[in-house]
């Protein structure tokens, strides 16, 4: 800092400020320096709607989940790849249409986009579970229901008690 009575010189990006009265703390505050212009356009972040690349990745992940060993397929059965592909495309499209409908879609703010993205994600999950449940073999359902009944009877689980 400069001694009292000495003039200060600006350094680098500093803007010279008149020393003024030292009793006023705001007199010593430096003026904000605007960021240098890089010539690049401002960046905009859009959460919704997802890009086609993102939607395709969601479809591929759905196909993988439905057609390979997972918690879901262990309970309800593995879906053949061709059927999983058609089902995944339908699930994603229906979930997208639901989330993009006028009643759900909100304004263009990032927070609203996140809410719509969350609705889209929940719809995909809900529709995927409905899909595998509807095609599950009766043997898998009986086996699962039997285990649930046994646990419910023996331990009071799953019965809401």
């Amino acid at each position: 800092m400069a001694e009292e009575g000495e003039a200060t010189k600006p350094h680098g990006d500093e803007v010279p400020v008149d020393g003024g009265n030292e009793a006023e703390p705001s007199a010593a505050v430096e003026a904000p320096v605007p960021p240098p212009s890089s010539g690049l356009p401002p960046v905009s972040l859009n959460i919704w709607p997802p890009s086609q690349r993102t939607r395709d990745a969601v479809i591929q992940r759905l196909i993988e989940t439905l057609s390979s060993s997972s918690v879901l397929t262990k309970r309800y059965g593995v879906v053949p790849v061709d059927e999983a592909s058609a089902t995944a495309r339908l699930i994603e499209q229906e979930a997208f249409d639901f989330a993009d409908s006028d009643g759900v879609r909100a304004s263009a703010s990032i927070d609203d986009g996140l809410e719509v993205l969350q609705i889209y994600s929940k719809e995909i999950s809900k529709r995927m579970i409905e899909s595998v449940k509807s095609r599950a073999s009766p043997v898998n359902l009986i086996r699962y229901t039997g285990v649930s009944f046994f646990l419910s009877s023996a331990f009071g689980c799953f019965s809401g008690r």
Side-chain angles (χ1 to χ4, degrees):
M1 290 229 113
E3 297 288 326
E4 191 173 334
E6 286 184 30
T8 59
K9 295 181 184 177
H11 301 292
D13 290 338
E14 293 178 5
V15 176
V17 177
D18 185 25
N21 183 356
E22 286 191 27
E24 297 178 39
S26 63
V29 175
E30 295 180 11
V33 178
S37 175
S38 64
L40 297 174
V43 176
S44 174
L45 178 63
N46 292 325
I47 301 294
W48 187 261
S51 67
Q52 187 59 48
R53 182 177 172 192
T54 301
R55 292 181 67 192
D56 290 343
V58 168
I59 291 168
Q60 288 305 312
R61 184 68 180 129
L62 279 168
I63 293 168
E64 190 178 307
T65 302
L66 294 170
S67 64
S68 62
S69 181
S70 67
V71 173
L72 197 64
T73 58
K74 285 178 183 171
R75 177 179 280 175
Y76 298 108
V78 176
V79 180
V81 176
D82 57 335
E83 186 180 338
S85 179
T87 302
R89 291 180 196 292
L90 182 64
I91 288 170
E92 192 283 332
Q93 186 62 53
E94 288 176 349
F96 179 84
D97 291 344
F98 180 81
D100 203 44
S101 67
D102 290 334
V104 174
R105 187 176 14 149
S107 66
S109 78
I110 290 178
D111 288 340
D112 292 337
L114 287 172
E115 288 178 26
V116 176
L117 193 61
Q118 187 175 25
I119 291 168
Y120 170 70
S121 178
K122 285 181 179 179
E123 279 299 308
I124 287 173
S125 297
K126 181 179 91 174
R127 292 167 191 271
M128 180 175 56
I129 291 170
E130 288 172 355
S131 171
V132 294
K133 279 184 175 180
S134 70
R135 69 170 307 282
S137 71
V139 172
N140 285 343
L141 290 177
I142 290 170
R143 187 179 314 138
Y144 176 69
T145 305
V147 169
S148 295
F149 177 74
F150 170 76
L151 290 173
S152 172
S153 301
F155 303 107
C157 300
F158 307 116
S159 62
R161 288 187 246 169

